Amino acid sequence: MKRKPIYVEIEMESSLERLWQYTQTPEIHSRWDLRFTRIEYLPRTSAEEPQHFLYETKIGFGLNVSGKGMTSGSHSKESGESTSALKFWSDEKISLIRTGSGYWKYIPHSEGVTFLTWYDYETRQGVIGRLIDRYLFRPMIGWATAWSFDSLRLWLDRDIAPGAARRAYLVFLLANFTIALSWLYHGIVPKLLYMETGELAMMKASGLLPGMETAAVYAVGIGEIIFGLLFLFMGRNRMLHYLNLAGLLALGCAAFFAKAGIYKAPFNPATTSFGIMALSLAVLALRPLLPDAGRCLRQPQKKKHVDL
């Protein structure tokens, strides 16, 4: 089963010196990198000796995975391009990673720095471990690397600290989940399961599609379910939230003209819609603050930069 190494590349406006500091200082590194909870350098007897370090990652349920590593070399070319290579391993059976190696590369140019990483590792637990790695762990850790790189970019280029970005991301996830839940509920419960509680009556009162009201309510319910699911997988999409705002306004107007009295009831369409619309407005406001793994390249590409 052939392994695909993990590659992540991103453009930053930062200087090489500042980027080097934020990636080579353990206390700073652990703040922006999702893959590590703690990184600690071990004492060296001489400057020529490779730098050994310990790392630890919390995986939930009170479990931690720890390992060791060492920087096997770093150098700077006349162009300013720098590379930091490392090896890492873990003796813990709970760790899927047995041993691995990789590098970070820093390529300065007139607009900033190209920052990239390449790494690969061997797994334990035989065929089962390789299957878990290929279909679950490797995609997940690749995404975490890319998300972390963009979190670092926001910190260096936009002064958005990783902690603030993570809190904003949690709010973003919660908002999209709530919007999705609302559309799914309204599509499934009052339309597909219990349309006689009011949805069918409103459709008949609208005068649209006479004789086909039941089929129309089913169709609207399915459409709402599909629309709700989109927020779980495409919640960052700006157009999706614009459609949410427009759709809720349109449905609210349609309900008013079909059965205006419904707005006198508690928890009526207005009170429900305003809250969901506010969540979309919050997501649109949060988007510039959110790290996005999609901003990173996941395959090497030839680029042309203006020489310094």
Side-chain angles (χ1 to χ4, degrees), residues 30-308:
S30 59
R31 288 184 61 185
W32 59 263
D33 201 329
L34 284 179
R35 297 169 297 174
F36 306 104
T37 305
R38 183 175 67 93
I39 304 171
E40 179 183 348
Y41 278 177
L42 299 177
R44 289 192 295 180
T45 57
S46 67
E48 292 74 23
E49 180 185 357
Q51 176 66 67
H52 287 74
F53 60 89
L54 304 175
Y55 66 84
E56 183 178 87
T57 303
K58 293 182 179 179
I59 59 176
F61 307 103
L63 299 175
N64 295 334
V65 173
S66 60
K68 300 177 182 179
M70 70 174 185
T71 55
S72 57
S74 61
H75 65 276
S76 298
K77 297 182 178 179
E78 293 182 359
S79 63
E81 179 178 317
S82 300
T83 303
S84 176
L86 59 89
K87 295 180 180 179
F88 51 92
W89 62 90
S90 176
D91 298 327
E92 296 189 354
K93 292 184 179 180
I94 195 174
S95 173
L96 186 64
I97 295 177
R98 184 191 300 275
T99 182
S101 62
Y103 61 82
W104 284 351
K105 185 171 287 187
Y106 310 73
I107 308 172
H109 49 82
S110 60
E111 298 175 356
V113 184
T114 300
F115 180 45
L116 63 90
T117 186
W118 178 102
Y119 63 95
D120 198 6
Y121 52 85
E122 295 180 359
T123 60
R124 48 172 48 93
Q125 309 303 339
V127 175
I128 298 298
R130 290 194 292 272
L131 287 172
I132 293 174
D133 177 61
R134 180 172 182 176
Y135 295 107
L136 179 61
F137 185 76
R138 191 168 291 255
M140 181 178 67
I141 198 171
W143 175 88
T145 304
W147 194 95
S148 299
F149 270 38
D150 197 49
S151 178
L152 176 61
R153 179 192 66 83
L154 288 172
W155 196 9
L156 292 174
D157 296 350
R158 302 291 180 264
D159 200 28
I160 300 173
R166 292 180 188 183
R167 289 190 293 272
Y169 198 78
L170 288 176
V171 174
F172 159 80
L173 292 176
L174 180 60
N176 276 299
F177 177 78
T178 304
I179 296 170
L181 188 63
S182 177
W183 282 103
L184 290 171
Y185 177 86
H186 285 90
I188 295 171
V189 178
K191 292 185 175 65
L192 300 190
L193 298 181
Y194 304 106
M195 69 174 66
E196 68 278 0
T197 58
E199 293 289 342
L200 185 58
M202 282 196 297
M203 182 63 72
K204 289 180 178 179
S206 70
L208 301 173
L209 303 172
M212 301 177 61
E213 291 89 351
T214 299
V217 173
Y218 274 122
V220 172
I222 292 172
E224 290 182 350
I225 291 170
I226 294 172
F227 191 59
L229 290 173
L230 291 177
F231 286 93
L232 297 178
F233 302 102
M234 299 171 57
R236 190 184 289 270
N237 187 283
R238 183 186 292 107
M239 185 55 64
L240 188 62
H241 289 278
Y242 289 148
L243 289 173
N244 184 49
L245 294 169
L248 288 171
L249 284 174
L251 288 173
C253 291
F256 179 80
F257 288 112
K259 194 176 181 181
I262 195 174
Y263 281 92
K264 298 177 182 179
F267 299 104
N268 59 67
T271 57
T272 304
S273 297
F274 289 157
I276 301 303
M277 292 170 69
L279 290 175
S280 270
L281 292 173
V283 169
L284 291 171
L286 285 173
R287 286 181 78 257
L289 310 178
L290 303 176
D292 183 5
R295 288 194 181 99
C296 297
L297 294 174
R298 301 302 304 276
Q299 297 289 338
Q301 293 185 3
K302 291 184 178 180
K303 289 187 175 183
K304 294 181 180 180
H305 292 299
V306 179
D307 293 335
L308 294 172

